[in-house]
Amino acid sequence: MKINQYYQEAELEAAGMTSKELIDRDYKVFSKNKKVYFFEPLESGALRLYSIISERSFFL
């Protein structure tokens, strides 16, 4: 995964990523292998990856 690249939600799920449920947020969060990926949803339906952090940092 590369920052500022565009992905489809189905593509992320096929890669083994799991979606995290968020309330009232304008971004989407997926996790895989102790990393958390933050995506900005675009009008076209694509998601732009803008940040990757450790899962431990996410839950602190």
Side-chain angles (χ1 to χ4, degrees), residues 22-35:
L22 301 173
I23 298 172
D24 297 328
R25 298 289 180 239
D26 58 349
Y27 55 88
K28 295 203 173 227
V29 177
F30 287 81
S31 66
K32 181 181 178 183
N33 297 335
K34 299 194 183 225
K35 293 197 184 248

Side-chain angles (χ1 to χ4, degrees), residues 42-59:
L42 304 174
E43 290 180 15
S44 66
L47 301 171
R48 182 183 70 86
L49 178 63
Y50 68 88
S51 184
I52 304 170
I53 64 170
S54 166
E55 192 172 63
R56 185 174 175 181
S57 297
F58 180 69
F59 289 109

Side-chain angles (χ1 to χ4, degrees), residues 5-42:
Q5 292 294 316
Y6 301 97
Y7 302 93
Q8 295 294 325
E9 195 163 339
E11 178 183 2
L12 299 173
E13 290 171 356
M17 295 184 142
T18 56
S19 178
K20 300 289 185 187
E21 293 299 320
L22 301 173
I23 298 172
D24 297 328
R25 298 289 180 239
D26 58 349
Y27 55 88
K28 295 203 173 227
V29 177
F30 287 81
S31 66
K32 181 181 178 183
N33 297 335
K34 299 194 183 225
K35 293 197 184 248
V36 179
Y37 301 82
F38 293 85
F39 293 89
E40 170 189 22
L42 304 174

